[in-house]
Amino acid sequence: MNVRDEAIRLLNQGLSALSTQGYEEAKSFFQAAIEKDTSLAAAHNNLGLIYLTQSQLEEAKQEFEKALELDPKQYSAYNNLAAIAQGQGNLSEAERMYLKSVQLNANNPDAYYNLGLLYIQQKKHVQAKTALEKVTQLNPENLDAFYVLGTVYSELQDYYAAIANLQFVVFNQPQILEARVALAEMYRRQGKYPIALNELKGAVELAPEDP
């Protein structure tokens, strides 16, 4: 087995450990992979993820930037750098990085979702709607995206679209309290008080001890 193959083997072991939240074990594998082959961009990117989960932001940033230096098409590294920038309040830089990520991979729902949340933070609800609609197309199982999209439609006063998205969430996961409360509010705004009350009753049944 040559050096590159050994590095990839270690990388894959790290990814396996990461999938079960074995962060320290994964970290050791990624570091070992880099020691074997410093040009392995994916190892740097995933080591950066470990640092990010451990709130070692500067170390994480260095690894993501190294990954992009080695492979400028590492779209997930752009997504990760965007998350750091957003967390530090640099929203324009975060937007630039998220857009670069989706430009490199238009089928990456995670970057679109993060971009949608960023637009909400910036109160750019039309742009948020577009990004979140893309998420629901790419990953129809992401109920969080449908819920957030419903709230965005509410901000845009498109109550029919808001209801459609919130109904989808409630139909698939009726135990999500926030979705039922939000859906009740949409019905209330339309003057459909009996339906709104019914949704609120359902919410109360889910959490009878909540104040």
Side-chain angles (χ1 to χ4, degrees), residues 32-71:
I34 291 169
E35 287 177 9
K36 286 288 182 182
D37 186 349
T38 59
S39 69
L40 193 58
H44 286 283
N45 186 46
N46 283 284
L47 179 58
L49 276 177
I50 300 296
Y51 286 134
L52 190 58
T53 63
Q54 296 174 338
S55 299
Q56 295 177 257
L57 301 185
E58 195 55 41
E59 292 85 349
K61 186 176 180 180
Q62 290 174 5
E63 293 299 331
F64 297 143
E65 289 175 344
K66 184 63 177 180
L68 288 171
E69 177 187 322
L70 294 167
D71 180 7

Side-chain angles (χ1 to χ4, degrees), residues 21-43:
Q21 298 185 342
Y23 297 124
E24 287 302 323
E25 184 183 8
K27 183 179 180 180
S28 297
F29 280 124
F30 296 143
Q31 289 172 329
I34 291 169
E35 287 177 9
K36 286 288 182 182
D37 186 349
T38 59
S39 69
L40 193 58

Side-chain angles (χ1 to χ4, degrees), residues 67-199:
L68 288 171
E69 177 187 322
L70 294 167
D71 180 7
K73 294 184 178 180
Q74 275 275 331
Y75 62 88
S76 59
Y78 280 109
N79 188 47
N80 297 331
L81 282 170
I84 293 175
Q86 185 175 359
Q88 294 175 334
N90 191 345
L91 303 188
S92 60
E93 178 66 5
E95 181 180 357
R96 186 180 74 82
M97 290 289 182
Y98 285 136
L99 289 172
K100 184 65 177 179
S101 182
V102 298
Q103 178 186 350
L104 289 170
N105 183 1
N107 295 313
N108 179 17
D110 292 339
Y112 280 110
Y113 183 72
N114 292 333
L115 182 59
L117 295 181
L118 175 67
Y119 283 139
I120 292 172
Q121 188 176 353
Q122 296 173 311
K123 299 191 183 303
K124 298 178 179 178
H125 293 109
V126 173
Q127 293 93 324
K129 175 179 75 71
T130 301
L132 292 165
E133 283 175 343
K134 188 70 174 178
V135 180
T136 61
Q137 293 164 11
L138 292 171
N139 183 10
E141 295 182 359
N142 187 339
L143 295 181
D144 286 340
F146 282 97
Y147 170 72
V148 178
L149 181 56
T151 65
V152 169
Y153 275 122
S154 172
E155 290 292 333
L156 295 171
Q157 298 185 357
D158 187 345
Y159 299 135
Y160 287 105
I163 287 171
N165 281 275
L166 294 169
Q167 279 180 331
F168 183 81
V169 177
V170 170
F171 177 79
N172 285 279
Q173 292 288 342
Q175 70 272 25
I176 298 179
L177 180 64
E178 295 85 353
R180 301 201 74 157
V181 172
L183 183 56
E185 174 59 16
M186 293 303 99
Y187 284 130
R188 186 195 68 78
R189 292 186 189 184
Q190 288 190 321
K192 298 178 180 179
Y193 300 114
I195 304 176
L197 183 60
N198 185 61
E199 288 298 334

